Amino acid sequence: MAIVACYTDTPEGRAAVARAHQESTRLGEELVVVNIDGNGSGDGDETSGLDLAGSGEGTSRVRVVPRSPSIHDAADLVLQTQQDTNATLIVLGLRRRSRVGKLIMGSHAQRILIEADCPVLTLKAV
């Protein structure tokens, strides 16, 4: 079992990973960080700026899933990772968008919320 965190190099993405790390440590589950805005190089360094250091006993295992060149849609990558890891929770950060912005642009978060087979925790960076 795992907790999937959706990472982007934004305050929202970092907040999502931090919260997912808390939950995975609390529950003793693996943390799977899905890099949804990386370059797909597969080297795992796209998240090197994150502080995932544990706070001692009970610290979760962390695995990074880089952006895959074969999966072009971020929502597909997150949903596929959730199925592959049998995740019990997906954590993603949201940014504020206007009503018009929500109408014009498609929303990866909306797809994840609707199609995920597990609970989805959304949060905004403070």
Side-chain angles (χ1 to χ4, degrees):
M1 300 279 212
I3 305 276
V4 173
C6 303
Y7 173 75
T8 58
D9 192 17
T10 63
E12 296 83 7
R14 289 185 290 277
V17 172
R19 180 57 187 267
H21 189 248
Q22 289 175 350
E23 292 298 315
S24 66
T25 300
R26 183 177 67 83
L27 298 170
E29 294 188 5
E30 178 182 26
L31 172 60
V32 179
V33 179
V34 178
N35 183 9
I36 59 176
D37 70 351
N39 60 15
S41 65
D43 60 11
D45 289 339
E46 297 90 349
T47 59
S48 59
L50 289 176
D51 180 16
L52 296 175
S55 56
E57 200 171 316
T59 300
S60 65
R61 298 174 314 278
V62 179
R63 178 167 43 113
V64 175
V65 176
R67 184 72 184 253
S68 171
S70 64
I71 301 177
H72 301 288
D73 185 69
D76 286 341
L77 179 60
V78 172
L79 293 168
Q80 185 63 51
T81 301
Q82 183 266 320
Q83 290 179 351
D84 292 347
T85 61
N86 196 24
T88 58
L89 179 68
I90 297 172
V91 182
L92 64 114
L94 297 177
R95 62 184 167 89
R96 186 174 181 95
R97 292 169 66 182
S98 69
R99 289 183 179 155
V100 174
K102 291 174 190 173
L103 284 173
I104 294 173
M105 293 188 227
S107 172
H108 296 299
Q110 183 177 3
R111 277 205 46 227
I112 293 168
L113 284 166
I114 292 169
E115 296 179 23
D117 294 331
C118 68
V120 178
L121 173 63
T122 61
L123 55 110
K124 292 183 182 181
V126 201

